[in-house]
Amino acid sequence: MIQQTKATTKSRQAILDRLLGTEVIGPGLPTVDPNQLIHFEDPVAKFIEVLATVGGQAHVVDDLRQIGEILAKLPVYSQAKRVVSLVPEAVPSSFDLAAIDDPHALASLDWTIAKGEFPVAENGAIWVQGETMPHRVLLFIAQYLAIVVSRSQMVHNLHEAYARIGTPKSPFGVFVSGPSKTADIEQSLVLGAHGCRELQVFLTP
Amino acid sequence: MKTLPIVDHPTKAHAFVADNERTHWHDQALWFVRSKRDKQAGSVPEWEYLRSLASQIKTETIAKLGDYLSEFERNATALGATVHWAADAAEHNEIVLKILRDHETLRIVKSKSMLTEECGLNHFLEDNGIEVVDTDLGERIVQLRKETPSHIVLPAIHIRKEEVGETFHEHLGTDEGASDPQYLTEAARGHLRDKFLAGEVGITGVNFAIAETGGFVICTNEGNADLGVSLPRVHIACMGIEKIIPRFEDLAVFIRLLARSATGQPITTYTSHFHGPRDPQSELHIVLVDNGRSQLRNRSEFRDALHCIRCGACMNTCPVYRRSGGHSYSATVPGPIGSVLSPTRDSSSYKSLPYACSLCGSCTDVCPVKIPLHHQLLAWRKELVDQNLLPYSKRISMKGASILFRNPRLFTFAGWVGRKSLKWLPHGMTHNRWNTWTIARELPEPPRESFRHWYAANRKR
């Protein structure tokens, strides 16, 4: 265990005193009315459509074996040397992840095949739970990313998504929507900023 | 702290505005972002409902801020994080430096944080011998050019791709004259990969911190925050105390609004939720910074400015910001919200900012948390008059106008003088170098008669 820097409490009281010293009456917290929220007739179609607009590609598969077949058709996959699969029932890993202790050793990773918990129709995002990954950097350091997620778990909007997560139990969880991107140079969209260059999403039954 | 120089917005904007072609380009670039925002807002039928929810949640949070901060601290500590409190920028910087020193850190990787920008953390750490690498592409460009961000979401919006090409040629060894964004981004990717792998501590900002769970959320498109904190063992997250939201479920409201308002995306590529350190061998430090926020909370007329979620929609829509550029505000947060926030820090230094506004109200219309921005800018003008901070020329002309409008005879006479002068005065008398108002304007055609005269002749019985 590395030495833990202790928190200072000098200003804590001063700040809290200032905040608690001035009483402000608030309106209370609202309760969201579910009837006012967007729902889609075909949430799977909506998800696929939105994911495409943010640069990701979705594939509806009925059998896990199809995932390997679809990936094999992509040159960036067939030429890949280092693949980590967190969904071994669908795609095998190319090396033993358990042998890796330091996440820095994953720097040359070509692909990560991750497992998603559920997709969100309104914004093309997929919730990925931290504990599904031995190293959370797997999601960000690979040149390419694929996420396997069940389409039967689809939620319509983020309110449903957060209700589904409930109280977060893992130190890390992330919504991923499309590949890493930037438009910091003259508003020109470039895919593959720091994270994955492409995102393939496999919607299983 | 040293006194800040007085910022005169028109003077600071002068060089930018003088380049007509560039001003137009900047205006169009931001209008493009604003249009994308409109498209996204329009695609959510409950958009206005979300804005009302967000506004109510924030109003309640700021009202009970002390309680929510305590709740957050309790829950974050229970998860294994260390919570620090900083009264001002200097203390924030000292806290961060202490953590880095404790770990004998020489190199840090940092993702975008307007708070650390506000506190001047980068320069402070560099002065203390620590290499700081901004990993957001826009911020890296600005950092290499030794500039400051001109926008809170799009830090390099004022820089042209040819200029980025020159900067990268100098620092990253890209081809001379290259300006293709794809090529330049790829070069930055390679350059920053090495920095990520060498980073010993990751520093990030915070988009939302949740009192109920003790966790926080960071939103990025590039994945730089995640890459920066997933490799090293120590993560320092710096946040203003107003970033708190009460409940985990409230995230749905704010995440739905944030990216749509900011860049016109349905959600950012990565919306990462951190609850405690990564593993027992890792550390998570959260620095809560006041730096004037608790004083702002005491001022009822400007309190709503603490609702800001830093989406930048008010800048993208502001006709003054779009044409004068972010640097003309000389503040970490420019644009309409910056013009409200900056004078609360120092009304004398930033007294010109509430006037860098046409009161068109567009900022108020697009604000996802319903801050009444243009009302606050107007309120600031009154405040500046009360504080006697208006320049002499404006004070004296306001006095004159007041006398004029209180005396009907004087008003009638002034109207007559005005009509006659418009008719007979030679052009050179009004259009000369002392009258800046007429630089690009003509005076109106004089009416034949006054309204008073016309009314007496046509309507009075």
Side-chain angles (χ1 to χ4, degrees), chain B residues 167-206:
Chain B
T167 305
F168 280 15
H169 172 62
E170 186 189 331
H171 294 275
L172 313 185
T174 53
D175 296 340
E176 193 166 7
S179 66
D180 174 40
Q182 182 89 39
Y183 167 77
L184 294 173
T185 304
E186 186 63 35
R189 178 186 172 100
H191 157 74
L192 286 164
R193 270 277 160 142
D194 297 340
K195 298 290 181 190
F196 278 121
L197 291 166
E200 298 165 86
V201 169
I203 299 184
T204 68
V206 166

Side-chain angles (χ1 to χ4, degrees), chain A residues 4 11-12 18 28 173 184 195, chain B residues 60 73 82 91 138 189 273 294:
Chain A
Q4 186 89 19
S11 295
R12 180 182 185 277
R18 262 203 300 277
D184 273 342
Chain B
E60 174 68 11
E73 181 191 38
T82 309
E91 191 177 2
R189 178 186 172 100
H273 301 60
S294 57

Side-chain angles (χ1 to χ4, degrees), chain B residues 253-296:
Chain B
V253 173
F254 292 101
I255 301 292
R256 293 189 79 191
L257 288 167
L258 180 63
R260 287 187 171 100
S261 298
T263 51
Q265 293 172 259
I267 187 170
T268 47
T269 300
Y270 304 104
T271 306
S272 304
H273 301 60
F274 298 86
H275 284 84
R278 192 161 78 216
D279 51 48
Q281 284 77 45
S282 301
E283 284 182 34
L284 175 63
H285 294 272
I286 303 166
V287 190
L288 301 172
V289 185
D290 183 344
N291 205 27
R293 287 163 176 79
S294 57
Q295 280 98 334
L296 178 56

Side-chain angles (χ1 to χ4, degrees), chain B residues 50 91 112 146 158 175 190 222 231 279 330 358 416 451:
Chain B
L50 289 178
E91 191 177 2
K112 199 154 73 189
K146 299 192 174 17
H158 61 290
D175 296 340
E222 300 183 6
L231 291 166
D279 51 48
S330 296
S358 65
W416 180 82
F451 173 75

Side-chain angles (χ1 to χ4, degrees), chain A residues 95-109:
Chain A
F95 63 97
D96 182 17
L97 189 60
I100 285 175
D101 182 41
D102 179 2
H104 289 83
L106 294 162
S108 59
L109 194 63

Side-chain angles (χ1 to χ4, degrees), chain B residues 146-437:
Chain B
K146 299 192 174 17
E147 293 182 18
T148 55
S150 70
H151 188 289
I152 58 173
V153 175
L154 319 159
I157 189 78
H158 61 290
I159 302 168
R160 311 206 67 156
K161 57 178 191 265
E162 291 78 12
E163 295 167 320
V164 177
E166 285 166 28
T167 305
F168 280 15
H169 172 62
E170 186 189 331
H171 294 275
L172 313 185
T174 53
D175 296 340
E176 193 166 7
S179 66
D180 174 40
Q182 182 89 39
Y183 167 77
L184 294 173
T185 304
E186 186 63 35
R189 178 186 172 100
H191 157 74
L192 286 164
R193 270 277 160 142
D194 297 340
K195 298 290 181 190
F196 278 121
L197 291 166
E200 298 165 86
V201 169
I203 299 184
T204 68
V206 166
N207 287 96
F208 305 100
I210 311 113
E212 182 184 57
T213 64
F216 59 90
V217 171
I218 302 174
C219 307
T220 77
N221 280 320
E222 300 183 6
N224 57 317
D226 294 291
L227 210 41
V229 301
S230 301
L231 291 166
R233 291 252 172 243
V234 184
H235 175 182
I236 307 174
C238 306
M239 58 177 272
I241 52 174
E242 86 287 11
K243 292 278 172 184
I244 288 275
I245 57 168
R247 306 166 296 193
F248 192 61
E249 64 176 85
D250 296 328
L251 279 172
V253 173
F254 292 101
I255 301 292
R256 293 189 79 191
L257 288 167
L258 180 63
R260 287 187 171 100
S261 298
T263 51
Q265 293 172 259
I267 187 170
T268 47
T269 300
Y270 304 104
T271 306
S272 304
H273 301 60
F274 298 86
H275 284 84
R278 192 161 78 216
D279 51 48
Q281 284 77 45
S282 301
E283 284 182 34
L284 175 63
H285 294 272
I286 303 166
V287 190
L288 301 172
V289 185
D290 183 344
N291 205 27
R293 287 163 176 79
S294 57
Q295 280 98 334
L296 178 56
R297 180 178 169 275
N298 289 346
R299 307 185 62 166
S300 57
E301 71 274 45
F302 302 117
R303 185 180 297 140
D304 290 356
L306 287 169
H307 297 184
C308 178
I309 57 172
R310 303 289 192 265
C311 70
C314 61
M315 326 181 171
N316 301 341
T317 200
C318 177
V320 177
Y321 175 90
R322 283 190 277 120
R323 289 171 183 81
S324 64
H327 288 150
S328 60
Y329 296 81
S330 296
T332 308
V333 182
I337 183 67
S339 300
V340 172
L341 292 173
S342 299
T344 61
R345 286 182 192 290
D346 181 347
S347 55
S348 178
S349 292
Y350 292 105
K351 62 188 176 189
S352 77
L353 295 189
Y355 294 90
C357 161
S358 65
L359 295 176
C360 73
S362 184
C363 46
T364 308
D365 287 345
V366 297
C367 178
V369 289
K370 291 192 159 190
I371 302 171
L373 285 159
H374 73 291
H375 293 285
Q376 294 191 341
L377 287 165
L378 187 60
W380 255 121
R381 295 184 188 183
K382 181 181 177 300
E383 176 87 19
L384 292 169
V385 172
D386 292 348
Q387 290 184 19
N388 228 2
L389 285 169
L390 229 50
Y392 182 73
S393 60
K394 269 190 184 161
R395 252 184 293 159
I396 203 77
S397 49
M398 283 295 163
K399 279 247 158 60
S402 166
I403 294 167
L404 183 68
F405 292 131
R406 271 181 290 147
N407 289 285
R409 276 163 192 277
L410 189 61
F411 185 83
T412 311
F413 175 69
W416 180 82
V417 172
R419 283 190 301 282
K420 293 294 168 218
S421 318
L422 277 176
K423 204 167 170 185
W424 299 113
L425 268 188
H427 196 258
M429 281 294 280
T430 51
H431 288 68
N432 53 47
R433 61 198 171 98
W434 291 286
N435 191 0
T436 50
W437 194 87

